[in-house]
């Protein structure tokens, strides 16, 4: 399987693969980390790095100030 790169189009299979990640983001109210998504290994095998999967899913970057704040709030 060829790795997805930013700028590549998403296939229907890609959208299906990203769905658990997107659903987890709704559940958490923020972008999920790798450890929070059950099928993360399969997602990473297609998108190579989690940052690419986040980008492809249309979710905010994990290192954005808002996402960092939301994760820190959860840990308190």
């Amino acid at each position: 399987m060829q790795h997805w790169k930013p700028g590549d189009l998403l296939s229907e299979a890609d959208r299906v693969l990203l769905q658990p990640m997107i659903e987890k983001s709704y559940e958490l109210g923020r972008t999920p980390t790798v450890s929070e998504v059950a099928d993360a290994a399969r997602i990473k095998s297609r998108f190579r790095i989690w940052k690419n999967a986040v980008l492809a899913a249309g979710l905010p970057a994990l290192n954005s100030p808002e996402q960092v704040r939301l994760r820190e709030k959860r840990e308190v």
Side-chain angles (χ1 to χ4, degrees):
M1 175 188 298
Q2 185 175 345
H3 293 296
W4 181 90
K5 300 179 299 298
D8 288 353
L9 296 176
L10 291 174
S11 69
E12 187 59 35
D14 291 336
R15 293 178 203 285
V16 169
L17 187 60
L18 291 169
Q19 196 57 40
M21 182 182 188
I22 294 166
E23 289 172 4
K24 190 67 171 183
S25 74
Y26 287 123
E27 178 186 323
L28 297 171
R30 59 176 172 75
T31 301
T33 62
V34 174
S35 63
E36 295 172 320
V37 177
D39 220 5
R42 281 189 54 220
I43 294 170
K44 282 182 68 177
S45 73
R46 169 67 173 132
F47 293 91
R48 195 174 59 82
I49 58 173
W50 198 247
K51 179 181 175 181
N52 285 349
V54 168
L55 179 65
L59 297 172
L62 283 170
N63 63 352
S64 74
E66 176 69 9
Q67 293 299 306
V68 171
R69 185 186 65 74
L70 288 169
R71 278 195 312 281
E72 288 173 351
K73 184 178 177 184
R74 173 193 67 148
E75 294 171 2
V76 172

